[in-house]
Amino acid sequence: MNYLKSVMITTGIAAILICSGAITETIRTDRLEASTGSSRWENQPQELQEKLTKSWSGGIEAIRNTLNENSENENITEWKLFYSLEDSLNTLPNQEHSSFITAFYSNERRTMLETGDIMPALLLHPDHTKAILYWEKHDGTYAIITLESQINANNKPEWNVSHSWITKQPSST
């Protein structure tokens, strides 16, 4: 009888572990599909896609022009472009998410963002120590906010806004 109880208990525990693993995997897969699907601007109408692509390309040109005018030797060609905060967070270490989100939704962003502005994009440096948040404003200018990761007093990386400005529309558009 004790042998039968132990077999049933062991089988029950194994079944619970298998089911919980399957449920966890299903939830993880659903979240992944939902997050990538819902954050993709490609699912939008063609006209909107073209407007966003033109705006984001113009923003990259405005950033290049501004960096050249300020004699900053930053080559943004290798930077990765993101269309959502959620997608960019997937490339950063988990311990940096909170400070990155705080910097992303900074006071500078809140004061520069106005009704009629176009959806922002984010450029992330390959070494994940710098980012540039930008968007086209309703008047054709571009809002640009640079974020940088620095080591704080606790010897941990922390993201902060380093600069913010409004720049003119690139002459090539």
Side-chain angles (χ1 to χ4, degrees):
M1 189 68 166
N2 284 339
Y3 174 73
L4 186 57
K5 277 186 178 179
S6 67
V7 168
M8 288 181 64
I9 291 173
T10 305
T11 305
I13 291 172
I16 290 170
L17 291 174
I18 290 170
C19 287
S20 68
I23 291 169
T24 302
E25 184 61 25
T26 301
I27 291 169
R28 192 174 67 77
T29 303
D30 287 348
R31 279 190 190 155
L32 179 62
E33 289 171 5
S35 69
T36 56
S38 65
S39 64
R40 297 218 187 269
W41 62 273
E42 293 92 351
N43 295 332
Q44 300 301 320
Q46 185 67 29
E47 183 181 327
L48 179 58
Q49 288 181 40
E50 290 170 5
K51 181 177 182 175
L52 292 172
T53 302
K54 181 180 179 188
S55 173
W56 292 328
S57 296
I60 289 173
E61 191 60 34
I63 292 167
R64 282 192 181 116
N65 291 343
T66 302
L67 294 176
N68 289 340
E69 288 172 9
N70 295 337
S71 300
E72 294 184 34
N73 296 329
E74 196 67 68
N75 180 6
I76 61 170
T77 307
E78 300 298 318
W79 293 39
K80 183 155 170 87
L81 181 62
F82 292 96
Y83 309 115
S84 76
L85 171 63
E86 181 180 314
D87 290 341
S88 65
L89 286 175
N90 290 330
T91 65
L92 296 173
N94 287 337
Q95 65 269 23
E96 294 182 31
H97 286 189
S98 179
S99 71
F100 189 83
I101 291 168
T102 300
F104 185 91
Y105 289 115
S106 64
N107 285 331
E108 289 84 354
R109 180 180 182 272
R110 278 191 290 278
T111 59
M112 294 168 74
L113 193 58
E114 299 176 303
T115 302
D117 290 355
I118 296 178
M119 189 171 112
L122 181 85
L123 287 168
L124 185 61
H125 192 277
D127 70 5
H128 301 113
T129 59
K130 298 177 194 170
I132 300 174
L133 174 64
Y134 69 96
W135 65 91
E136 184 177 358
K137 299 194 60 56
H138 60 88
D139 63 0
T141 60
Y142 283 88
I144 302 171
I145 301 173
T146 57
L147 313 172
E148 291 188 38
S149 175
Q150 298 174 343
I151 303 301
N152 66 17
N154 296 327
N155 206 26
K156 297 190 184 216
E158 183 175 19
W159 285 88
N160 293 297
V161 171
S162 59
H163 299 91
S164 64
W165 66 95
I166 306 278
T167 189
K168 63 183 182 266
Q169 185 174 17
S171 57
S172 63
T173 59

